[in-house]
Amino acid sequence: MTTTTSAPVDSFFRATNAHDSAALLATFAQDAVLYNADEGTYRGHQDIKVWDDKEFVGAQCTVAVQDTITTGKGEIIVTGDTRGTFPGGQIILYFLFTVEDDLITALTIHH
């Protein structure tokens, strides 16, 4: 896996690829917001776990990071070749992370 310039983002992808829901959730701030373009908005650990159980680790996703851009605003944009047991089995996804105090505070995912 290609690494990004952010420890929590790297941890997010390591947890995803290891199918480790607890480790994935630990990368998020308690009040984090996750927006999945196909599924809607999830707020806080409890909602993000619901998303993860269904859409990400629950779908046995793995992500091969293809490209990373770091903005000057604490944002990291990652392009990832995502594979799993979801319909179609493979998709290129774009992840926009906002990181503060070594935790993900916001994540937008779209294709």
Side-chain angles (χ1 to χ4, degrees):
M1 177 183 85
T2 303
T3 59
T4 70
T5 58
S6 169
V9 173
D10 287 343
S11 294
F12 172 89
F13 289 115
R14 272 195 305 278
T16 297
N17 292 341
H19 309 295
D20 185 340
S21 291
L24 183 137
L25 198 58
T27 65
F28 287 93
Q30 288 292 324
D31 60 349
V33 176
L34 184 147
Y35 174 74
N36 180 325
D38 292 334
E39 295 293 321
T41 302
Y42 301 84
R43 298 180 187 281
H45 275 198
Q46 186 173 1
D47 280 357
I48 292 170
K49 180 163 180 13
V50 169
W51 165 81
D52 181 49
D53 287 348
K54 180 181 175 195
E55 299 296 327
F56 221 56
V57 169
Q60 300 179 355
C61 287
T62 58
V63 179
V65 172
Q66 295 180 322
D67 190 34
T68 302
I69 299 168
T70 302
T71 73
K73 300 177 183 179
E75 297 172 332
I76 298 115
I77 303 164
V78 176
T79 304
D81 179 354
T82 306
R83 297 170 189 238
T85 59
F86 52 85
Q90 178 184 14
I91 192 170
I92 299 298
L93 290 177
Y94 302 91
F95 302 83
L96 171 60
F97 294 91
T98 302
V99 175
E100 295 174 21
D101 299 324
D102 290 325
L103 291 171
I104 299 165
T105 57
L107 171 56
T108 298
I109 303 171
H110 65 90
H111 50 89

XYZ file of all heavy atoms in Angstrom:
849
model
N 0.836 -1.176 0.000
C 0.000 0.000 0.000
C 0.881 1.238 0.000
O 1.831 1.334 0.756
C -0.892 0.003 1.245
C -1.742 1.258 1.351
S -2.748 1.362 2.846
C -1.561 2.073 3.966
N 0.555 2.188 -0.844
C 1.223 3.477 -0.835
C 0.772 4.233 0.404
O -0.391 4.196 0.776
C 0.843 4.282 -2.092
O 1.186 3.512 -3.237
C 1.557 5.606 -2.138
N 1.682 4.926 1.046
C 1.301 5.677 2.240
C 0.971 7.113 1.877
O 1.371 7.623 0.837
C 2.432 5.666 3.290
O 3.601 6.245 2.715
C 2.722 4.262 3.764
N 0.214 7.741 2.759
C -0.124 9.151 2.607
C 0.800 9.947 3.511
O 1.743 9.403 4.077
C -1.598 9.397 2.987
O -1.744 9.245 4.402
C -2.530 8.444 2.259
N 0.506 11.208 3.694
C 1.324 12.041 4.572
C 0.674 12.196 5.940
O 1.047 13.068 6.708
C 1.534 13.428 3.946
O 0.242 14.010 3.718
C 2.309 13.345 2.665
N -0.284 11.355 6.260
C -1.045 11.486 7.490
C -1.175 10.141 8.189
O -1.694 9.182 7.618
C -2.434 12.041 7.168
O -3.275 11.951 8.294
N -0.729 10.084 9.439
C -0.806 8.836 10.199
C -2.244 8.326 10.342
O -2.487 7.130 10.139
C -0.142 9.002 11.563
N -3.238 9.177 10.683
C -4.588 8.628 10.813
C -5.166 8.119 9.490
O -5.907 7.131 9.474
C -5.429 9.776 11.362
C -4.572 10.961 11.428
C -3.168 10.557 11.109
N -4.811 8.752 8.392
C -5.289 8.291 7.083
C -4.627 6.965 6.735
O -5.294 6.026 6.279
C -5.068 9.366 6.000
C -5.391 8.827 4.616
C -5.892 10.613 6.313
N -3.332 6.847 6.979
C -2.655 5.570 6.756
C -3.279 4.479 7.622
O -3.514 3.360 7.152
C -1.159 5.683 7.071
C -0.396 6.465 6.019
O -0.918 6.649 4.893
O 0.726 6.902 6.330
N -3.578 4.815 8.876
C -4.195 3.843 9.784
C -5.581 3.441 9.295
O -5.981 2.275 9.425
C -4.281 4.415 11.201
O -2.990 4.603 11.736
N -6.336 4.394 8.739
C -7.657 4.109 8.185
C -7.549 3.040 7.097
O -8.307 2.064 7.095
C -8.268 5.399 7.620
C -9.542 5.197 6.846
C -10.773 5.212 7.485
C -9.526 5.014 5.473
C -11.957 5.027 6.774
C -10.691 4.833 4.743
C -11.909 4.841 5.399
N -6.607 3.208 6.175
C -6.464 2.236 5.084
C -5.885 0.908 5.564
O -6.296 -0.151 5.087
C -5.663 2.829 3.926
C -6.430 3.883 3.173
C -6.009 5.197 3.165
C -7.600 3.562 2.507
C -6.733 6.178 2.486
C -8.334 4.524 1.828
C -7.892 5.840 1.821
N -4.959 0.931 6.523
C -4.450 -0.329 7.083
C -5.586 -1.108 7.748
O -5.721 -2.323 7.553
C -3.327 -0.068 8.089
C -1.952 0.018 7.469
C -0.843 -0.088 8.496
N -0.950 0.890 9.574
C -0.533 2.161 9.488
N 0.011 2.601 8.385
N -0.674 2.970 10.507
N -6.421 -0.414 8.531
C -7.548 -1.069 9.206
C -8.549 -1.612 8.190
O -9.075 -2.721 8.349
C -8.229 -0.091 10.158
N -8.799 -0.835 7.142
C -9.706 -1.287 6.084
C -9.188 -2.576 5.467
O -9.917 -3.565 5.354
C -9.844 -0.212 4.991
O -10.436 0.958 5.561
C -10.680 -0.694 3.822
N -7.933 -2.573 5.072
C -7.360 -3.726 4.375
C -7.216 -4.946 5.285
O -7.204 -6.076 4.797
C -6.036 -3.348 3.735
C -6.233 -2.371 2.588
O -7.322 -2.237 2.040
N -5.184 -1.658 2.234
N -7.150 -4.720 6.602
C -7.084 -5.818 7.567
C -8.486 -6.249 8.012
O -8.615 -7.187 8.799
C -6.265 -5.397 8.784
N -9.523 -5.541 7.516
C -10.913 -5.807 7.904
C -11.086 -5.693 9.417
O -11.773 -6.499 10.046
C -11.392 -7.165 7.387
C -11.149 -7.350 5.923
N -11.777 -6.578 4.965
C -10.331 -8.186 5.253
C -11.357 -6.944 3.762
N -10.484 -7.915 3.910
N -10.461 -4.648 9.995
C -10.457 -4.422 11.443
C -11.335 -3.210 11.771
O -10.867 -2.068 11.748
C -9.017 -4.213 11.917
C -8.894 -4.102 13.420
O -9.900 -3.816 14.110
O -7.764 -4.289 13.917
N -12.590 -3.471 12.066
C -13.552 -2.392 12.321
C -13.162 -1.526 13.514
O -13.315 -0.309 13.480
C -14.948 -2.965 12.550
O -15.452 -3.506 11.360
N -12.685 -2.143 14.589
C -12.325 -1.377 15.786
C -11.178 -0.413 15.487
O -11.211 0.754 15.900
C -11.962 -2.320 16.928
N -10.179 -0.887 14.755
C -9.046 -0.022 14.406
C -9.482 1.094 13.457
O -9.024 2.231 13.570
C -7.921 -0.845 13.787
N -10.389 0.781 12.529
C -10.886 1.804 11.614
C -11.628 2.882 12.393
O -11.383 4.076 12.208
C -11.804 1.184 10.562
C -12.311 2.168 9.513
C -12.254 1.550 8.141
C -13.718 2.613 9.823
N -12.499 2.494 13.290
C -13.275 3.452 14.070
C -12.370 4.324 14.940
O -12.631 5.509 15.129
C -14.296 2.710 14.933
C -15.433 3.527 15.480
C -16.228 4.209 14.370
C -16.349 2.658 16.327
N -11.274 3.758 15.416
C -10.337 4.499 16.270
C -9.629 5.627 15.526
O -9.057 6.520 16.163
C -9.318 3.543 16.878
N -9.666 5.633 14.199
C -9.022 6.717 13.442
C -9.883 7.977 13.414
O -9.397 9.037 13.026
C -8.712 6.280 11.992
O -9.936 6.039 11.285
C -7.824 5.047 11.966
N -11.156 7.865 13.824
C -12.098 8.985 13.767
C -12.239 9.672 15.124
O -12.271 8.999 16.165
C -13.492 8.490 13.347
C -13.604 8.126 11.901
C -13.398 6.816 11.494
C -13.918 9.081 10.949
C -13.506 6.458 10.155
C -14.024 8.737 9.605
C -13.818 7.424 9.207
N -12.413 10.993 15.092
C -12.802 11.739 16.283
C -14.206 11.301 16.688
O -14.991 10.834 15.842
C -12.782 13.242 15.989
N -14.537 11.420 17.961
C -15.854 10.997 18.458
C -17.003 11.670 17.710
O -18.046 11.061 17.498
C -15.979 11.293 19.955
C -15.155 10.381 20.829
C -15.659 8.946 20.825
O -16.851 8.674 20.762
N -14.732 7.998 20.884
N -16.820 12.921 17.304
C -17.885 13.682 16.640
C -17.654 13.813 15.129
O -18.202 14.700 14.479
C -18.039 15.062 17.273
C -16.766 15.891 17.190
O -15.698 15.355 16.837
O -16.840 17.100 17.497
N -16.870 12.906 14.571
C -16.556 12.957 13.137
C -17.817 12.815 12.291
O -18.820 12.246 12.721
C -15.567 11.850 12.786
N -17.720 13.347 11.069
C -18.813 13.242 10.102
C -18.275 12.534 8.866
O -17.226 12.902 8.330
C -19.353 14.634 9.716
C -20.414 14.522 8.640
C -19.897 15.352 10.941
N -18.993 11.504 8.430
C -18.643 10.770 7.224
C -19.791 10.947 6.243
O -20.948 10.706 6.593
C -18.438 9.286 7.539
C -17.982 8.409 6.375
C -17.084 7.295 6.894
C -19.134 7.826 5.594
N -19.461 11.394 5.040
C -20.467 11.524 3.984
C -20.086 10.590 2.853
O -19.024 10.711 2.262
C -20.562 12.962 3.467
C -21.486 13.076 2.280
C -22.866 12.992 2.444
C -20.978 13.223 0.997
C -23.718 13.063 1.351
C -21.819 13.300 -0.104
C -23.187 13.219 0.080
O -24.030 13.282 -1.003
N -20.954 9.626 2.578
C -20.773 8.693 1.476
C -21.781 9.106 0.410
O -22.991 9.084 0.660
C -21.037 7.266 1.965
C -20.877 6.228 0.873
O -21.195 6.468 -0.281
N -20.404 5.067 1.254
N -21.304 9.486 -0.756
C -22.170 10.030 -1.810
C -23.322 9.101 -2.154
O -24.389 9.556 -2.548
C -21.350 10.352 -3.058
N -23.149 7.805 -2.023
C -24.209 6.855 -2.362
C -25.112 6.502 -1.182
O -26.179 5.940 -1.381
C -23.606 5.560 -2.916
C -22.960 5.758 -4.273
O -23.376 6.680 -4.996
O -22.031 4.999 -4.596
N -24.680 6.802 0.033
C -25.402 6.329 1.212
C -25.899 7.438 2.134
O -26.781 7.199 2.940
C -24.495 5.388 2.027
C -24.146 4.118 1.294
C -25.333 3.217 1.086
O -26.176 3.097 1.988
O -25.433 2.625 -0.002
N -25.294 8.607 2.106
C -25.726 9.682 2.993
C -24.679 10.046 4.029
O -23.506 9.725 3.886
N -25.142 10.703 5.095
C -24.261 11.253 6.117
C -24.355 10.438 7.404
O -25.440 10.066 7.837
C -24.637 12.718 6.408
O -24.538 13.467 5.190
C -23.720 13.339 7.451
N -23.209 10.209 8.019
C -23.093 9.480 9.278
C -22.341 10.369 10.254
O -21.284 10.889 9.929
C -22.345 8.159 9.057
C -23.031 7.264 8.065
C -22.827 7.427 6.692
C -23.910 6.279 8.484
C -23.480 6.618 5.771
C -24.568 5.463 7.568
C -24.348 5.640 6.218
O -24.994 4.852 5.302
N -22.876 10.516 11.467
C -22.285 11.416 12.459
C -21.924 10.654 13.728
O -22.780 10.003 14.310
C -23.255 12.530 12.809
C -23.595 13.403 11.630
C -24.578 14.510 12.018
N -25.018 15.228 10.846
C -24.340 16.170 10.209
N -23.162 16.533 10.670
N -24.836 16.761 9.147
N -20.667 10.762 14.117
C -20.204 10.127 15.349
C -19.886 8.658 15.175
O -20.226 8.032 14.175
N -19.216 8.113 16.183
C -18.741 6.734 16.111
C -19.857 5.725 15.884
O -19.694 4.788 15.104
C -17.978 6.374 17.390
C -16.547 6.775 17.348
N -15.619 6.243 18.203
C -15.858 7.645 16.569
C -14.431 6.761 17.951
N -14.555 7.625 16.973
N -20.985 5.891 16.556
C -22.058 4.903 16.431
C -22.569 4.825 14.992
O -22.736 3.741 14.447
C -23.197 5.242 17.384
C -24.277 4.182 17.415
C -25.320 4.454 18.491
O -25.263 5.431 19.210
N -26.288 3.555 18.582
N -22.816 5.986 14.370
C -23.292 6.001 12.979
C -22.227 5.511 12.007
O -22.529 4.778 11.060
C -23.722 7.406 12.562
C -25.100 7.782 13.054
O -25.778 6.938 13.680
O -25.503 8.926 12.809
N -20.980 5.910 12.240
C -19.896 5.494 11.344
C -19.714 3.975 11.424
O -19.473 3.319 10.419
C -18.593 6.261 11.645
C -18.782 7.743 11.269
C -17.405 5.651 10.903
C -17.670 8.660 11.723
N -19.896 3.396 12.601
C -19.818 1.940 12.725
C -20.926 1.265 11.915
O -20.684 0.234 11.266
C -19.900 1.510 14.183
C -19.808 -0.003 14.323
C -19.492 -0.444 15.699
C -19.397 -1.928 15.893
N -19.330 -2.807 14.767
N -22.131 1.832 11.913
C -23.224 1.280 11.100
C -22.819 1.266 9.632
O -22.995 0.266 8.931
C -24.527 2.085 11.313
C -25.585 1.713 10.286
C -25.044 1.884 12.732
N -22.270 2.401 9.153
C -21.792 2.472 7.757
C -20.719 1.419 7.510
O -20.776 0.675 6.531
C -21.251 3.873 7.463
C -20.438 3.937 6.217
C -20.895 4.032 4.937
C -19.002 3.861 6.121
N -19.834 4.035 4.056
C -18.671 3.931 4.761
C -17.978 3.756 7.063
C -17.354 3.895 4.321
C -16.663 3.720 6.626
C -16.364 3.788 5.259
N -19.731 1.357 8.401
C -18.609 0.447 8.218
C -19.069 -1.007 8.188
O -18.622 -1.790 7.347
C -17.589 0.655 9.338
C -16.380 -0.233 9.190
O -15.812 -0.285 8.082
O -16.005 -0.887 10.175
N -19.961 -1.370 9.090
C -20.449 -2.751 9.155
C -21.152 -3.174 7.869
O -21.111 -4.340 7.485
C -21.413 -2.935 10.328
C -20.715 -2.942 11.680
O -19.473 -3.038 11.725
O -21.425 -2.829 12.704
N -21.782 -2.218 7.206
C -22.528 -2.538 5.984
C -21.702 -2.301 4.722
O -21.639 -3.143 3.833
C -23.792 -1.689 5.919
C -24.633 -1.943 4.686
C -25.854 -1.057 4.666
C -26.610 -1.249 3.359
N -27.578 -0.205 3.123
N -21.076 -1.146 4.639
C -20.524 -0.669 3.369
C -19.021 -0.847 3.181
O -18.550 -0.811 2.054
C -20.847 0.821 3.194
C -22.310 1.134 3.153
C -23.018 0.510 1.966
O -22.401 0.372 0.892
O -24.190 0.147 2.130
N -18.272 -1.003 4.265
C -16.822 -0.980 4.076
C -16.186 -2.269 4.571
O -16.005 -3.198 3.797
C -16.238 0.279 4.712
C -15.170 0.923 3.881
C -15.420 1.305 2.578
C -13.915 1.131 4.388
C -14.432 1.873 1.796
C -12.919 1.708 3.615
C -13.180 2.072 2.326
N -15.866 -2.356 5.842
C -15.290 -3.603 6.340
C -16.311 -4.726 6.197
O -15.965 -5.851 5.836
C -14.796 -3.448 7.798
C -14.446 -4.795 8.397
C -13.577 -2.527 7.839
N -17.580 -4.426 6.401
C -18.633 -5.418 6.234
C -18.726 -5.966 4.817
O -19.185 -7.083 4.599
N -18.287 -5.175 3.846
C -18.257 -5.609 2.443
C -16.866 -6.109 2.051
O -16.548 -6.233 0.880
C -18.684 -4.468 1.521
N -16.041 -6.386 3.061
C -14.687 -6.908 2.871
C -13.870 -6.067 1.897
O -13.122 -6.585 1.060
C -14.742 -8.372 2.430
C -15.423 -9.251 3.435
C -15.520 -10.691 3.008
O -15.158 -11.063 1.898
N -16.012 -11.535 3.895
N -14.016 -4.749 2.014
C -13.286 -3.843 1.116
C -11.796 -3.856 1.398
O -11.359 -3.979 2.541
C -13.812 -2.415 1.266
S -15.427 -2.175 0.521
N -11.054 -3.717 0.336
C -9.635 -3.402 0.405
C -9.417 -2.213 -0.529
O -10.121 -2.065 -1.525
C -8.734 -4.580 -0.031
O -9.070 -4.952 -1.362
C -8.893 -5.772 0.901
N -8.458 -1.381 -0.164
C -8.183 -0.186 -0.959
C -6.693 -0.134 -1.266
O -5.865 -0.170 -0.356
C -8.604 1.104 -0.219
C -8.280 2.336 -1.060
C -10.082 1.070 0.152
N -6.369 -0.040 -2.554
C -4.996 0.209 -2.990
C -4.906 1.695 -3.299
O -5.534 2.180 -4.246
C -4.662 -0.620 -4.223
N -4.167 2.423 -2.475
C -4.013 3.869 -2.669
C -3.248 4.101 -3.957
O -2.164 3.561 -4.159
C -3.295 4.512 -1.467
C -2.969 5.967 -1.749
C -4.153 4.378 -0.211
N -3.827 4.911 -4.837
C -3.197 5.208 -6.117
C -2.563 6.591 -6.152
O -1.570 6.796 -6.825
C -4.223 5.090 -7.242
C -4.741 3.697 -7.421
C -5.753 3.601 -8.539
O -6.571 4.497 -8.739
N -5.703 2.514 -9.277
N -3.181 7.539 -5.457
C -2.685 8.912 -5.502
C -3.111 9.623 -4.229
O -4.180 9.344 -3.685
C -3.259 9.642 -6.723
C -2.598 10.985 -6.967
O -1.389 11.124 -6.696
O -3.304 11.907 -7.411
N -2.276 10.541 -3.769
C -2.570 11.329 -2.578
C -2.193 12.781 -2.823
O -1.111 13.055 -3.334
C -1.770 10.814 -1.361
O -2.084 9.449 -1.148
C -2.082 11.608 -0.113
N -3.094 13.675 -2.462
C -2.830 15.113 -2.536
C -3.111 15.687 -1.155
O -4.174 15.432 -0.578
C -3.735 15.809 -3.568
C -3.500 15.232 -4.960
C -3.530 17.319 -3.555
C -4.536 15.657 -5.978
N -2.168 16.459 -0.635
C -2.367 17.129 0.646
C -2.555 18.609 0.381
O -1.747 19.231 -0.307
C -1.155 16.913 1.565
O -0.971 15.509 1.747
C -1.365 17.570 2.915
N -3.656 19.152 0.906
C -3.918 20.573 0.734
C -3.330 21.339 1.912
O -2.935 20.740 2.913
C -5.430 20.870 0.653
O -5.997 20.708 1.963
C -6.131 19.960 -0.339
N -3.314 22.629 1.827
C -2.827 23.462 2.911
C -3.863 23.686 3.988
O -3.641 24.439 4.923
N -5.005 23.034 3.897
C -6.109 23.245 4.838
C -6.335 22.036 5.745
O -7.410 21.871 6.300
C -7.393 23.531 4.060
C -7.315 24.749 3.186
C -8.597 24.914 2.412
C -8.494 26.108 1.470
N -9.723 26.266 0.694
N -5.339 21.182 5.885
C -5.504 19.996 6.708
C -6.323 18.919 6.042
O -6.847 18.032 6.702
N -6.444 18.976 4.724
C -7.219 17.991 3.983
C -6.285 17.101 3.177
O -5.274 17.559 2.658
C -8.200 18.676 3.036
C -9.239 19.504 3.754
C -10.088 20.332 2.802
O -9.603 20.693 1.711
O -11.229 20.612 3.177
N -6.658 15.840 3.081
C -5.913 14.877 2.285
C -6.899 14.237 1.327
O -7.943 13.735 1.752
C -5.248 13.801 3.160
C -4.234 14.458 4.100
C -4.549 12.748 2.321
C -4.590 14.353 5.521
N -6.576 14.261 0.036
C -7.429 13.662 -0.989
C -6.716 12.414 -1.485
O -5.570 12.469 -1.929
C -7.667 14.645 -2.153
C -8.286 15.946 -1.631
C -8.553 13.995 -3.216
C -8.210 17.101 -2.606
N -7.409 11.284 -1.403
C -6.825 10.004 -1.783
C -7.690 9.364 -2.863
O -8.909 9.318 -2.746
C -6.728 9.056 -0.568
C -6.212 7.683 -0.986
C -5.851 9.664 0.526
N -7.039 8.883 -3.901
C -7.704 8.073 -4.922
C -7.358 6.628 -4.619
O -6.179 6.295 -4.444
C -7.200 8.436 -6.329
O -7.382 9.829 -6.542
C -7.936 7.645 -7.395
N -8.390 5.768 -4.547
C -8.130 4.379 -4.200
C -8.892 3.395 -5.056
O -10.083 3.568 -5.312
N -8.178 2.376 -5.499
C -8.786 1.249 -6.205
C -9.404 0.369 -5.123
O -8.701 -0.275 -4.350
C -7.724 0.493 -6.989
C -8.264 -0.711 -7.744
O -9.455 -1.062 -7.582
O -7.487 -1.324 -8.488
N -10.740 0.376 -5.051
C -11.462 -0.273 -3.962
C -12.129 -1.539 -4.474
O -12.839 -1.507 -5.483
C -12.507 0.705 -3.389
O -11.844 1.929 -3.038
C -13.203 0.120 -2.186
N -11.907 -2.623 -3.753
C -12.479 -3.913 -4.141
C -13.150 -4.539 -2.930
O -12.738 -4.331 -1.807
C -11.391 -4.836 -4.672
C -10.762 -4.264 -5.927
C -9.531 -5.020 -6.349
N -8.866 -4.298 -7.426
C -8.614 -4.808 -8.616
N -8.957 -6.044 -8.893
N -8.000 -4.090 -9.528
N -14.222 -5.281 -3.195
C -14.930 -5.932 -2.105
C -16.087 -6.745 -2.623
O -16.200 -7.013 -3.827
N -16.987 -7.104 -1.713
C -18.126 -7.944 -2.068
C -19.355 -7.130 -2.439
O -20.450 -7.677 -2.528
C -18.477 -8.896 -0.904
O -18.794 -8.121 0.255
C -17.331 -9.848 -0.605
N -19.198 -5.848 -2.682
C -20.298 -4.988 -3.117
C -20.595 -5.247 -4.597
O -19.778 -5.837 -5.306
C -19.961 -3.508 -2.869
C -18.641 -3.076 -3.444
C -18.543 -2.678 -4.768
C -17.490 -3.066 -2.666
C -17.330 -2.285 -5.319
C -16.267 -2.671 -3.189
C -16.192 -2.284 -4.528
N -21.776 -4.821 -5.095
C -22.119 -5.041 -6.513
C -21.029 -4.480 -7.440
O -20.586 -3.350 -7.292
C -23.435 -4.292 -6.690
C -24.041 -4.296 -5.325
C -22.862 -4.175 -4.369
N -20.585 -5.268 -8.351
C -19.530 -4.875 -9.286
C -18.145 -5.274 -8.803
O -17.246 -5.485 -9.600
N -17.941 -5.303 -7.500
C -16.705 -5.797 -6.915
C -15.484 -4.910 -6.998
O -14.494 -5.181 -6.336
N -15.519 -3.844 -7.803
C -14.362 -2.954 -7.927
C -14.836 -1.579 -8.354
O -15.715 -1.447 -9.219
C -13.365 -3.474 -8.956
C -12.175 -2.563 -9.151
C -11.241 -3.039 -10.251
O -11.573 -3.908 -11.048
N -10.065 -2.452 -10.305
N -14.244 -0.547 -7.739
C -14.566 0.833 -8.094
C -13.405 1.734 -7.678
O -12.704 1.437 -6.705
C -15.881 1.289 -7.411
C -16.374 2.602 -7.982
C -15.718 1.349 -5.903
C -17.773 2.984 -7.537
N -13.187 2.784 -8.417
C -12.232 3.811 -8.011
C -13.009 4.794 -7.145
O -14.026 5.351 -7.579
C -11.602 4.534 -9.220
C -10.837 3.545 -10.107
C -10.700 5.677 -8.748
C -9.668 2.847 -9.441
N -12.544 4.976 -5.913
C -13.184 5.923 -5.000
C -12.230 7.058 -4.679
O -11.009 6.895 -4.680
C -13.600 5.232 -3.696
C -14.745 4.243 -3.782
C -14.990 3.588 -2.423
C -16.022 4.919 -4.274
N -12.818 8.197 -4.393
C -12.084 9.387 -3.972
C -12.464 9.668 -2.539
O -13.646 9.742 -2.207
C -12.415 10.570 -4.878
C -12.086 10.264 -6.319
C -13.043 9.713 -7.165
C -10.801 10.468 -6.811
C -12.736 9.387 -8.471
C -10.488 10.148 -8.122
C -11.457 9.611 -8.948
O -11.156 9.276 -10.241
N -11.462 9.803 -1.691
C -11.644 10.031 -0.262
C -11.094 11.414 0.068
O -9.929 11.695 -0.210
C -10.856 8.999 0.547
C -11.219 7.567 0.262
C -10.656 6.889 -0.818
C -12.089 6.884 1.086
C -10.967 5.561 -1.076
C -12.403 5.551 0.840
C -11.851 4.892 -0.244
N -11.910 12.269 0.660
C -11.458 13.585 1.118
C -11.488 13.572 2.638
O -12.564 13.521 3.252
C -12.358 14.694 0.581
C -12.115 16.090 1.163
C -10.701 16.574 0.884
C -13.137 17.076 0.633
N -10.307 13.547 3.241
C -10.164 13.502 4.695
C -9.855 14.885 5.239
O -9.034 15.615 4.664
C -8.979 12.608 5.090
C -9.140 11.151 4.768
C -8.704 10.645 3.551
C -9.697 10.286 5.693
C -8.819 9.289 3.262
C -9.815 8.937 5.412
C -9.381 8.429 4.193
N -10.455 15.234 6.361
C -10.037 16.369 7.164
C -9.494 15.787 8.461
O -10.166 14.972 9.112
C -11.203 17.330 7.458
O -11.749 17.777 6.212
C -10.728 18.537 8.260
N -8.275 16.178 8.812
C -7.598 15.633 9.983
C -7.261 16.768 10.937
O -6.729 17.798 10.520
C -6.312 14.885 9.560
C -5.536 14.411 10.773
C -6.650 13.720 8.642
N -7.604 16.560 12.208
C -7.251 17.507 13.266
C -6.814 16.709 14.482
O -7.479 15.735 14.851
C -8.444 18.388 13.622
C -8.905 19.294 12.501
C -10.178 20.055 12.858
O -10.482 20.187 14.054
O -10.859 20.491 11.918
N -5.730 17.135 15.120
C -5.240 16.483 16.339
C -5.093 14.972 16.161
O -5.471 14.183 17.029
C -6.167 16.794 17.533
C -6.240 18.285 17.830
O -5.204 18.974 17.678
O -7.328 18.756 18.190
N -4.549 14.562 15.026
C -4.261 13.158 14.720
C -5.486 12.257 14.665
O -5.388 11.044 14.881
C -3.232 12.583 15.697
C -1.854 13.184 15.473
O -1.512 13.468 14.303
O -1.121 13.373 16.458
N -6.658 12.847 14.389
C -7.875 12.070 14.181
C -8.593 12.587 12.946
O -8.512 13.772 12.612
C -8.805 12.173 15.387
C -8.335 11.495 16.665
C -9.250 11.871 17.826
C -8.286 9.974 16.489
N -9.331 11.706 12.288
C -10.151 12.104 11.148
C -11.407 12.763 11.696
O -12.140 12.157 12.475
C -10.511 10.881 10.277
C -9.237 10.241 9.725
C -11.472 11.272 9.157
C -9.443 8.839 9.167
N -11.633 14.015 11.311
C -12.827 14.730 11.778
C -13.919 14.748 10.725
O -15.089 14.932 11.049
C -12.498 16.171 12.192
O -11.891 16.847 11.085
C -11.555 16.181 13.398
N -13.528 14.567 9.464
C -14.512 14.508 8.380
C -13.947 13.658 7.260
O -12.745 13.673 6.978
C -14.839 15.899 7.867
N -14.841 12.901 6.616
C -14.466 12.084 5.475
C -15.629 12.108 4.481
O -16.761 11.811 4.854
C -14.185 10.639 5.893
C -13.974 9.609 4.768
C -12.862 10.021 3.824
C -13.730 8.229 5.358
N -15.311 12.494 3.248
C -16.273 12.430 2.150
C -15.762 11.392 1.159
O -14.592 11.416 0.787
C -16.400 13.810 1.457
O -16.893 14.756 2.401
C -17.351 13.733 0.266
N -16.660 10.485 0.762
C -16.299 9.423 -0.179
C -17.226 9.518 -1.388
O -18.450 9.586 -1.236
C -16.469 8.032 0.450
C -15.624 7.913 1.720
C -16.095 6.938 -0.557
C -15.904 6.654 2.518
N -16.632 9.557 -2.582
C -17.442 9.549 -3.802
C -16.683 8.843 -4.916
O -15.513 8.547 -4.808
C -17.877 10.969 -4.202
C -16.747 11.851 -4.591
N -16.300 11.960 -5.864
C -15.960 12.678 -3.856
C -15.290 12.824 -5.912
N -15.063 13.267 -4.697
N -17.389 8.572 -5.994
C -16.744 7.924 -7.143
C -16.893 8.791 -8.363
O -17.486 9.823 -8.363
C -17.308 6.523 -7.415
C -18.788 6.437 -7.490
N -19.477 6.624 -8.652
C -19.711 6.193 -6.527
C -20.774 6.479 -8.410
N -20.930 6.226 -7.132
